[in-house]
Amino acid sequence: MCANFSSFFKHLKTVLYHRHLVLIGCFKIGLFKQGLLHDLSKFSPAEFWVGVKYFQGTQSPNNGERRDLGYSSAWLHHKGRNKHHYEYWIDYSTRVPGGVAPVPMPLKYVAEMLMDRVAACKVYNHGNYTNDTALKYYQSGKDPAPIHQDTRKLLEFLLHKLADEGEKQTYIYLKKMLKAKACCRENI
């Protein structure tokens, strides 16, 4: 019971810190609502208690659940409720071999996905985070992610920009991109 009590507070602290970092990043690029609402599903019983049970501190608790069960019920719950995950944007298709097709993500969710990745890398790498950590983590994936080619191209561009130019320049660029997109919508 003591380990669960300790894990409860450690997991809560991790989730709150992650959300705080995403909120700061989203605010810097003008995504105020998304910053405030980011990952609220992590406080639902379906996600939170799995996080407590499998808390590790160096990676997502969902990986622990995957090791035990072969899948993560918390992740299945999470990805279906949070549009900043590319997995949210996968649908069935009658036009694609295999029947599964990724859909292009709107820019504001790609931007939030970048903030999410940066925050997760900072949380789990503690003091070892550098501007290329998120890119290296992305590149370490075993198989190509089922992500739409336009979304992939933009995400990879932003991860490289972050690695090469740092957060400040990447966030300035992203804020201008979002503002330009908003201006285009207003003129339609």
Side-chain angles (χ1 to χ4, degrees):
M1 186 67 174
C2 186
N4 287 340
F5 188 73
S6 174
S7 294
F8 174 90
F9 286 105
K10 288 178 181 177
H11 178 61
L12 179 62
K13 181 180 173 183
T14 300
V15 171
L16 291 172
Y17 182 50
H18 171 79
R19 286 194 73 248
H20 175 74
L21 292 174
V22 173
L23 179 129
I24 290 170
C26 282
F27 277 28
K28 286 180 180 178
I29 62 172
L31 294 177
F32 303 105
K33 182 178 177 183
Q34 283 174 251
L36 290 169
L37 299 177
H38 180 80
D39 276 357
L40 287 178
S41 70
K42 285 189 178 183
F43 297 104
S44 69
E47 294 180 38
F48 189 80
W49 294 116
V50 170
V52 170
K53 180 177 180 179
Y54 292 100
F55 178 81
Q56 302 161 71
T58 56
Q59 60 179 301
S60 170
N62 298 342
N63 293 337
E65 186 182 29
R66 277 187 197 95
R67 278 191 295 277
D68 274 5
L69 303 179
Y71 68 95
S72 173
S73 63
W75 173 247
L76 293 172
H77 186 272
H78 186 77
K79 74 179 177 86
R81 287 159 179 79
N82 294 278
K83 295 179 181 182
H84 64 276
H85 291 290
Y86 67 83
E87 294 90 345
Y88 180 94
W89 299 92
I90 296 173
D91 195 8
Y92 290 105
S93 173
T94 57
R95 300 178 183 172
V96 176
V100 178
V103 178
M105 289 175 67
L107 176 59
K108 67 181 184 176
Y109 297 118
V110 176
E112 185 182 356
M113 178 169 52
L114 180 69
M115 300 305 139
D116 186 53
R117 288 169 177 268
V118 167
C121 287
K122 286 180 178 180
V123 167
Y124 292 124
N125 287 282
H126 307 286
N128 297 319
Y129 174 84
T130 59
N131 286 328
D132 65 348
T133 303
L135 175 61
K136 287 179 179 176
Y137 182 77
Y138 174 81
Q139 291 173 331
S140 72
K142 293 181 179 102
D143 297 316
I147 185 171
H148 190 274
Q149 63 186 9
D150 296 341
T151 303
R152 178 186 308 281
K153 185 177 174 183
L154 176 57
L155 176 61
E156 290 176 0
F157 171 79
L158 293 170
L159 288 169
H160 279 281
K161 188 169 189 65
L162 175 66
D164 297 339
E165 299 177 30
E167 279 184 29
K168 185 176 181 180
Q169 292 305 312
T170 304
Y171 292 3
I172 288 170
Y173 176 84
L174 202 42
K175 186 174 185 174
K176 287 179 184 175
M177 240 179 119
L178 287 160
K179 196 171 192 174
K181 181 81 172 171
C183 288
C184 289
R185 271 197 316 271
E186 290 173 7
N187 293 328
I188 295 176

